[in-house]
Amino acid sequence: MATRVLKFGGTSVGSLERIRASAAIAAAERRRGEDVAVVVSAMAGETDRLLTLAAGLGFDLGDAETDVVISAGEQISAALMAMAIRLEGLHSQSFLGWQAGIRTDGPPGAARINGLDADPIRKSMETGYVPVMAGFQGASADGRVRTLGRGGTDLSAVALAAALNASCDIYTDVDGVFTTDPRIEPKARRIQKISYDEMLELAAQGAKVLQTRSAEFAKARNVPLRVLSSFAEPGQSEGTTIMRAEDIAERRIVSGIAYARDQARVALRGVSQTPEAAANVFSGLADADIGVDMIVQSPASEAGRANLEFTVDRRDLKNALARIGESDARDVLSETGLAKVSVVGLGLNRRADVARILYRALANENIAVRTVATSEIKISVLIENDAVEHAVRALHAAYGLDDAS
Ligand code: ADP
Ligand code: ASP
Ligand code: MG
């Protein structure tokens, strides 16, 4: 029998009413004849609330006990979801991450899944249950609870689907992946099909509809993936299918615009111009699992020295500055209040006018560009936080993505 993993995010389990609506979707899928396993997030806002409790005692994301506190939200919603599925007339039971065989490595707050023994979930389905797994969590080799990074329930779901050889449906509060966040650009259009690579890049650049690591995992393991709305009646959401680029007939130049607010720029002035010096800076950041982007290196006025700048998430800034403290830079500066807006598309590298469109659209809106970074399939600009919405809308229109209707 085919197996389908259904993931319900925070708003889809945000109240008892929403849990019952999501349970009805799971029950309808089960009744269509497929085996179904459900993965849930904490109720909307709950993880933030729990984080604030830990922070009240001075413990941040990254502490081992903070992980135990914040993983509790998923425990509650998993059991409530199992109850709601029972009210639909089906058998259901909940599983915490460790009970579902999720093993992790990596630091608290940002652990990675390095193994998943799907037997408990498989047996549950074989004995006629709809298992409901708590997302966002697993256990380290020494049996400690670990969380998988914010938005990590997407990863839990994709990893479970890979282990069960199942397809994975991510239910959320919008009807799929759009050309940009429909909450800031109502003219955004739903994308019917998108490649793993474009989805991965959109997610990495801030489109939080799918967590980056989950897109990476789905790509690596070829997990058939869809994003759907839990706010539609069962079976009514058309959603977005994420698949291999070769299987998509339509070729677009630009797929979408993503944004990430609250970025910080770090500038190291006068670092030794040796490959080791820069490597040391970035290995310290990598060890702490701090994502770095928009790296620019240029010669410094002093011979044999270079200036090195890059961006990190605002919330990683303190940690990042502590990590680069030991570099031989003459001076380290940082700046906050910035945002990154990125244009993503598999066809970008084929078009010569991509940069012209970008600069013209931003110039028309009087938006100053601080730094630009490009790759094969994206072009990102660093701008002031306040200009994000304007920039997203301007670029959405300039690249012809606006819904004409
Ligand atoms: P969940 O709680 O279900 O995991 P998230 O809040 O993490 O949901 O992700 C869904 C949100 O992602 C949407 O409400 C939307 O505002 C935002 N979003 C950002 N970019 C996009 C995009 N390109 N397409 C769809 N949604 C997007
Ligand atoms: N509850 C966790 C978070 O808010 C995980 C998730 O929702 O995916 O980040
Ligand atoms: Mg999410």
Side-chain angles (χ1 to χ4, degrees):
M1 203 192 298
T3 309
R4 191 171 289 278
V5 171
L6 310 180
K7 178 260 176 175
F8 295 97
T11 40
S12 305
V13 296
S15 64
L16 293 182
E17 192 198 347
R18 292 309 318 152
I19 290 176
R20 292 205 66 172
S22 296
I25 291 174
E29 289 292 322
R30 178 71 190 83
R31 292 204 172 93
R32 283 188 338 132
E34 282 184 329
D35 261 339
V36 166
V38 173
V39 181
V40 288
S41 289
M43 296 170 82
E46 184 64 6
T47 309
D48 286 337
R49 188 184 73 84
L50 295 169
L51 260 177
T52 313
L53 286 178
L57 293 178
F59 292 86
D60 290 333
L61 192 62
D63 183 84
E65 293 308 326
T66 302
D67 264 10
V68 185
V69 173
I70 63 174
S71 66
E74 272 72 10
Q75 170 163 351
I76 294 166
S77 51
L80 291 173
M81 177 62 85
M83 290 171 182
I85 293 174
R86 278 162 61 183
L87 294 178
E88 292 287 329
L90 298 170
H91 298 298
S92 184
Q93 56 187 179
S94 62
F95 290 81
L96 296 179
W98 65 267
Q99 292 173 312
I102 298 201
R103 289 184 306 277
T104 65
D105 59 12
R112 290 166 191 278
I113 295 180
N114 68 356
L116 201 164
D117 166 14
D119 279 350
I121 296 286
R122 197 176 286 121
K123 285 208 181 86
S124 176
M125 291 191 294
E126 278 167 11
T127 44
Y129 284 84
V130 175
V132 181
M133 183 177 91
F136 185 47
Q137 52 175 270
S140 61
D142 56 352
R144 306 304 300 170
V145 171
R146 290 283 184 267
T147 66
L148 306 173
R150 298 307 305 266
T153 301
D154 294 335
L155 176 61
S156 307
V158 169
L160 181 62
L164 293 170
N165 213 355
S167 50
C168 184
D169 288 347
I170 304 283
Y171 279 91
T172 184
D173 55 1
V174 288
D175 192 24
V177 180
F178 283 68
T179 47
T180 194
D181 187 345
R183 295 193 195 290
I184 68 168
E185 176 50 280
K187 292 185 196 139
R189 283 179 291 160
R190 179 172 56 85
I191 302 173
Q192 281 180 355
K193 294 175 185 166
I194 189 168
S195 68
Y196 289 114
D197 286 318
E198 288 162 295
M199 187 64 242
L200 182 50
E201 197 65 56
L202 281 173
Q205 298 309 324
K208 77 176 187 151
V209 62
L210 210 56
Q211 190 224 26
T212 310
R213 283 190 194 165
S214 73
E216 227 164 45
F217 203 109
K219 181 185 173 205
R221 303 286 293 272
N222 251 316
V223 176
L225 190 61
R226 294 192 300 169
V227 175
L228 301 156
S229 170
S230 71
F231 286 69
E233 291 300 312
Q236 294 305 302
S237 171
E238 292 182 47
T240 298
T241 304
I242 298 138
M243 57 209 302
R244 293 178 333 162
E246 324 56 299
D247 299 335
I248 303 178
E250 186 201 352
R251 292 266 173 256
R252 292 176 299 254
I253 305 283
V254 171
S255 302
I257 316 285
Y259 64 93
R261 288 198 169 92
D262 297 321
Q263 301 294 296
R265 191 175 72 96
V266 179
L268 285 76
R269 307 258 171 244
V271 186
S272 298
Q273 205 170 26
T274 62
E276 293 81 44
N280 284 341
V281 169
F282 292 117
S283 57
L285 298 169
D287 289 346
D289 212 42
I290 298 172
V292 173
D293 199 19
M294 303 192 87
I295 302 171
V296 181
Q297 184 182 332
S298 52
S301 44
E302 190 181 342
R305 301 239 157 206
N307 297 330
L308 192 60
E309 64 169 77
F310 53 86
T311 59
V312 294
D313 264 11
R314 167 78 179 89
R315 60 169 187 265
D316 291 330
L317 179 61
K318 198 169 124 201
N319 206 354
L321 291 175
R323 293 275 164 169
I324 56 181
E326 283 160 30
S327 77
D328 71 346
R330 298 277 192 236
D331 202 6
V332 179
L333 309 169
S334 67
E335 184 187 5
T336 57
L338 300 170
K340 187 171 60 173
V341 177
S342 308
V343 182
V344 173
L346 285 182
L348 277 181
N349 58 355
R350 296 198 305 268
R351 290 286 295 264
D353 58 352
V354 162
R356 186 187 62 198
I357 295 173
L358 178 104
Y359 279 106
R360 185 144 296 157
L362 295 175
N364 285 344
E365 297 290 319
N366 264 324
I367 297 171
V369 174
R370 311 289 290 266
T371 310
V372 181
T374 57
S375 79
E376 283 272 291
I377 68 165
K378 71 136 207 265
I379 174 160
S380 303
V381 291
L382 192 66
I383 59 173
E384 303 277 328
N385 248 336
D386 295 346
V388 166
E389 304 203 354
H390 269 109
V392 167
R393 291 194 201 108
L395 293 175
H396 197 265
Y399 287 100
L401 296 174
D402 279 2
D403 186 356
S405 63

